[in-house]
Amino acid sequence: MKILDIHRESKGVYGSPRITAELHDGGEIITEKTVAKIMRSLGIVGISPRTFKIRTTVVDPFASFRTTWCNDGSIMAASTPCGLPTSRT
């Protein structure tokens, strides 16, 4: 079967959408639902997308970070909340 061959060539990665596209490129006329039904009957599945988030940055545990920034970009004083004036004039 062509579906099984395409699935094996992709090393088990391709699911019904990609296999359908490969068959269409080869001149076959078949719907994605039909490909999915045949794949289910053969007991083959494609690999699902990632369900986890890739971390590309590792935080330095010894780095120092400023945690007292206000929304306007200024640094908050210890006793003054952000956005409030510091004196009444």
Side-chain angles (χ1 to χ4, degrees), residues 21-89:
E22 289 284 326
L23 290 169
H24 286 171
D25 290 345
E28 297 290 327
I29 301 172
I30 191 167
T31 65
E32 187 178 323
K33 287 187 177 188
T34 305
V35 172
K37 183 193 280 188
I38 294 169
M39 287 178 68
R40 268 193 306 276
S41 70
L42 294 173
I44 58 175
V45 293
I47 293 178
S48 298
R50 292 183 185 133
T51 58
F52 58 92
K53 187 173 182 179
I54 301 293
R55 277 185 69 181
T56 58
T57 304
V58 178
V59 178
D60 181 8
F62 301 107
S64 61
F65 298 98
R66 292 186 178 172
T67 58
T68 56
W69 287 96
C70 293
N71 292 336
D72 61 356
S74 62
I75 298 174
M76 179 177 68
S79 61
T80 309
C82 288
L84 295 178
T86 56
S87 64
R88 295 182 192 187
T89 51

